[in-house]
Amino acid sequence: MNELDLLAAADARALTYTAGVATRRVFPDAGALAGLAAFDEPLPEQGMAAEQTLQLLDERGSAATVVSNGPRYFGFVIGASLPAAAAAERLMLAWDQCASSFDNSPVAATVEATAARWVLEALDLPRQSAVGFGTSATACTLSCLAAARRALLARQGWDFDRDGLIGAPEIKVVVSELVHITVKKALRVLGFGTAKIIYAPVNALGQVDVEKLPVLDDHSILCLQAGEVNTGEFDPFAQLIPKARASGAWVHVDGAFGLWARASALAPLTTGIELADSWTTDAHKWLNTPYDCAMAICRDADALAATMNSDAAYSSASADAQKNLTLEFSRRARGIPVWAALRSLGKQGVAQQVERHCRQAQRVAEGLREAGYEVLNRVVLNQVLFRAASAAQTVAVREALQATGEAWFGGTVWQGRPAMRISVSSWRTQNEDIEALLGLMSELRG
Ligand SMILES: *Cc1c(COP(=O)(O)O)cnc(C)c1O
């Protein structure tokens, strides 16, 4: 098979897969999982046919996917892929750009600059901010926290790039008690030390308690969050951030999915968030782009650019080239699917998508209560946290639901007891899908 025929065959298989996402099992059955044994081959001595390789990947692989790109996946705020974003991604694959700088890809640099401008506008964040399109909220949080530390040390006359950490003034890190694990990971990787992290107590809703905020100073980084993974709650930014910044601290906000509330009628949840120094968000969650698509946003553009700079004699670029704002040197043009998603939705479409998911989450909560479950959160966003009568029943219901293959959501532990969490974040999810889920949940409760 020649290249074009092979790519056409891949496209045909991809189209068949996409056409089936509404009817496939959401989690593969035992037979499909057993079929994965076909991949346990020795590395071939001689190359195998590309066509047969594609066939294996589709026949055994497609069957063993979790259909998070479908309408009835309610785990982890994963989202599906919007058609415009998925289509842009397909074309980008053909281009195979190394989107590090204008010289390597004029089109990527241009489109990503527009995407950056649109993201700041959609999220109503300071327009002078730098936007680095990185692989994940994890990587982007790492970038932002590295910039924060470098800037705080520079204000104290310490040259972090030259002198590193040994002997440097100590930087205090304060995070919410309900901080996301990936923020802790970023801090750990950066060398802050998990035992040195100070936890800000949260109130009954899971928001950082303003009255109990630990003392901050100009050696401090405060990490807040927009959208807690279980409850969807937001920290009270308008009260916390001015206080923190007045003491000279750097404020970072993890808004992996929740920041998108700001692009909708739910924006009041985020009031004051614009006063922070840096923000992280994902496009691959609530904006519904394909994976590896997140943003590090930094009010002081130079702070991020100086931290992430990777210019060399053979490879120099502008300060705002993406390779100088992200961890990657060679990189995909991650901002292009963001641009395509925003262009196809427009400001109104983004708002409507967010608002629809929040309404659907309200309906989920209402239906679960009617079916006799206990809803544990206020459902301010697209997250519903709930449990059945006992811990054992909670686990049993979740496992039974997952086994149906009709829908999928995950479990968690909330205030020491098992709970279940439903996230509504796929553009494909229609009200019928919500009713179908509620029908199943009602049956399972018996
Ligand atoms: C998913 C998530 C992250 C991590 O995002 P990745 O893109 O998966 O690295 C961080 N914080 C919150 C609140 C999240 O939901």
Side-chain angles (χ1 to χ4, degrees):
M1 222 182 226
N2 69 31
E3 180 189 5
L4 292 185
D5 288 344
L6 180 70
L7 293 178
D11 278 348
R13 288 179 184 276
L15 291 179
T16 301
Y17 181 85
T18 304
V21 291
T23 48
R24 276 179 181 278
R25 276 185 64 91
V26 183
F27 194 89
D29 61 19
L33 295 178
L36 290 172
F39 293 106
D40 188 15
E41 312 175 284
L43 172 64
E45 209 51 60
Q46 309 218 324
M48 318 264 281
E51 190 184 340
Q52 192 269 331
T53 300
L54 174 68
Q55 182 182 348
L56 174 65
L57 186 63
D58 187 26
E59 289 180 0
R60 299 303 182 96
S62 294
T65 53
V66 168
V67 189
S68 51
N69 197 11
R72 294 189 193 174
Y73 184 84
F74 300 101
F76 306 110
V77 212
I78 273 181
S81 285
L82 283 166
E89 181 96 359
R90 278 247 209 329
L91 185 57
M92 276 169 56
L93 279 179
W95 291 351
D96 190 29
Q97 300 289 277
C98 176
S100 53
S101 63
F102 188 88
D103 286 349
N104 268 0
S105 180
V107 60
T110 304
V111 178
E112 289 193 293
T114 298
R117 182 161 54 79
W118 287 0
V119 163
L120 295 177
E121 188 177 336
L123 299 175
D124 192 17
L125 293 176
R127 304 299 194 268
Q128 80 277 12
S129 306
V131 180
F133 290 102
T135 49
S136 62
T138 307
C140 289
T141 295
L142 197 131
S143 305
C144 288
L145 295 177
R149 177 169 63 190
R150 185 182 181 283
L152 289 178
L153 289 175
R155 284 179 210 161
Q156 292 165 54
W158 186 266
D159 184 339
F160 176 78
D161 294 340
R162 192 189 63 194
D163 298 325
L165 274 182
I166 295 170
E170 191 167 338
I171 298 294
K172 174 157 87 177
V173 180
V174 177
V175 304
S176 162
E177 263 175 0
L178 294 178
V179 64
H180 194 268
I181 187 65
T182 58
V183 175
K184 285 212 264 190
K185 174 177 170 179
L187 289 167
R188 197 181 77 223
V189 171
L190 286 168
F192 282 102
T194 49
K196 302 232 169 114
I197 295 175
I198 298 169
Y199 290 93
V202 297
N203 63 22
L205 296 172
Q207 307 168 308
V208 166
D209 191 326
V210 180
E211 301 306 319
K212 297 184 185 152
L213 183 67
V215 176
L216 300 167
D217 56 25
D218 59 1
H219 296 54
S220 310
I221 298 173
L222 172 65
C223 296
L224 300 175
Q225 68 185 339
E228 198 275 332
V229 286
N230 292 298
T231 60
E233 290 283 350
F234 292 67
D235 287 327
F237 306 113
Q239 291 156 281
L240 292 166
I241 299 180
K243 202 167 156 183
R245 292 202 75 203
S247 69
W250 177 294
V251 181
H252 175 75
V253 182
D254 171 16
F257 63 94
L259 199 54
W260 292 91
R262 195 162 169 83
S264 76
L266 288 95
L269 289 169
T270 69
T271 301
I273 210 171
E274 70 282 1
L275 303 171
D277 295 278
S278 57
W279 306 262
T280 309
T281 192
D282 277 322
H284 58 222
K285 287 183 177 169
W286 215 354
L287 190 60
N288 282 218
T289 68
Y291 276 91
D292 279 11
C293 201
M295 286 145 268
I297 306 174
C298 192
R299 170 191 295 279
D300 177 354
D302 295 341
L304 185 64
T307 305
M308 305 312 285
N309 184 277
S310 58
D311 274 352
Y314 84 105
S315 156
S316 64
S318 59
D320 64 349
Q322 283 292 320
K323 83 170 177 86
N324 287 336
L325 296 177
T326 60
L327 286 166
E328 293 76 25
F329 188 68
S330 305
R331 59 183 291 283
R332 293 151 45 80
R334 307 200 147 78
I336 291 183
V338 175
W339 165 85
L342 291 175
R343 194 166 192 278
S344 72
L345 290 173
K347 275 191 192 179
Q348 290 184 7
V350 176
Q352 284 159 6
Q353 179 164 287
V354 167
E355 291 158 17
R356 188 179 72 246
H357 290 150
C358 294
R359 276 198 307 277
Q360 289 174 329
Q362 291 285 350
R363 170 65 194 134
V364 168
E366 175 190 78
L368 289 173
R369 279 194 207 98
E370 283 163 14
Y373 293 95
E374 182 190 359
V375 175
L376 303 166
N377 67 331
R378 298 196 293 179
V379 195
V380 289
L381 203 65
N382 60 341
Q383 305 296 110
V384 186
L385 182 69
F386 66 107
R387 62 164 73 107
S390 67
Q393 239 190 314
T394 298
V395 174
V397 167
R398 175 176 53 76
E399 288 178 352
L401 181 282
Q402 290 171 350
T404 65
E406 298 287 322
W408 200 95
F409 59 75
T412 187
V413 173
W414 184 248
Q415 294 173 344
R417 288 164 56 196
M420 299 175 264
R421 53 187 293 274
I422 287 178
S423 307
V424 188
S425 61
S426 165
W427 71 272
R428 294 185 201 273
T429 301
Q430 301 300 317
N431 293 341
E432 302 88 85
D433 300 304
I434 299 293
E435 296 309 319
L437 171 69
L438 289 172
L440 284 166
M441 292 305 290
S442 177
E443 269 170 45
L444 289 172
R445 195 163 170 283

